[in-house]
Amino acid sequence: MRERIWIARYELVAEGSLNAKTERRVYEGVLIRVGSGFGCVHPWPELGDPTLEECLEDLKGERVGRLVRRALDCAKADGRAREEGRCLFDGVEVPRSHATLRRVSKEELVRAVEAGFEVVKVKVGREVRRELGEIRLLMKQFSGLRWRFDFNGLGMEGELRGVGRRRNWGVSISWKM
């Protein structure tokens, strides 16, 4: 028999859309507690995860999907560390990564640079031609930045490479002018 799992639902409300595959702004998830440890189940169905309801069913039953299994593993690791009086982040240095921009705008780029970022990741793909036009202008103004573009599986390869065939971009690409 599995240890009892406590669940607390939550909702995150974004200022705007967080990826090109959805206009959704409300993101539901659950915090779980197993023994003395905590984990989080926060699915993104539009990016291939099961729905939150499917994850909750996984938590009830014998079958446990990958997302729920990872959350349970995190709760177990957290619980062990709490019981031993350890912080899981002691001695861990989190490297500075990139600023994620929901849209291409001079204001967001200025904030990223002022915060010390040298790399920006821009969510694109809804209006590639317009976005690329804006990006080209901004890349000249922010020539010291490295740029990454996240298409979340959208985008026309022809618009990017001058070829007229459709391709599903599932990875970020980097670009430095």
Side-chain angles (χ1 to χ4, degrees), residues 96 99 101 106-120 142 144-145:
R96 192 157 190 81
L101 310 181
K106 185 173 183 174
E107 295 77 22
E108 286 202 39
L109 287 165
V110 166
R111 278 195 295 272
V113 169
E114 287 175 351
F117 287 98
E118 297 173 2
V119 181
V120 292
F142 295 87
L145 287 176

Side-chain angles (χ1 to χ4, degrees), residues 3 10 25 59 82 86 97 119 132 139 143 162 166:
E3 195 169 359
Y10 67 84
R25 292 186 49 231
L59 285 168
R82 287 173 187 272
R86 291 184 298 116
S97 178
V119 181
L132 287 179
M139 286 181 88
S143 60
R166 174 94 172 141

Side-chain angles (χ1 to χ4, degrees), residues 132-156:
L132 287 179
E134 291 175 18
I135 288 167
R136 283 186 188 103
L137 293 173
L138 290 167
M139 286 181 88
K140 291 176 185 172
Q141 294 176 34
F142 295 87
S143 60
L145 287 176
R146 283 188 32 229
W147 295 71
R148 294 179 60 208
F149 303 100
D150 184 345
F151 289 89
N152 287 115
L154 300 176
M156 293 291 289

Side-chain angles (χ1 to χ4, degrees), residues 2 58-59 61-70 72:
R2 275 203 309 201
D58 279 1
L59 285 168
E62 295 299 316
R63 184 185 78 79
V64 177
R66 182 175 49 99
L67 186 67
V68 169
R69 187 172 38 255
R70 280 192 261 155
L72 291 169

Side-chain angles (χ1 to χ4, degrees), residues 72-140:
L72 291 169
D73 289 345
C74 285
K76 288 176 189 169
D78 179 62
R80 279 192 305 274
R82 287 173 187 272
E83 290 163 8
E84 295 168 5
R86 291 184 298 116
C87 174
L88 289 173
F89 294 102
D90 282 348
V92 174
E93 185 177 325
V94 178
R96 192 157 190 81
S97 178
H98 59 265
T100 299
L101 310 181
R102 293 176 317 214
R103 65 184 182 285
V104 182
S105 81
K106 185 173 183 174
E107 295 77 22
E108 286 202 39
L109 287 165
V110 166
R111 278 195 295 272
V113 169
E114 287 175 351
F117 287 98
E118 297 173 2
V119 181
V120 292
K121 176 181 172 183
V122 183
K123 298 285 192 170
V124 292
R126 283 203 170 94
E127 301 173 47
V128 175
R129 288 188 196 282
R130 181 191 57 76
E131 291 166 337
L132 287 179
E134 291 175 18
I135 288 167
R136 283 186 188 103
L137 293 173
L138 290 167
M139 286 181 88
K140 291 176 185 172

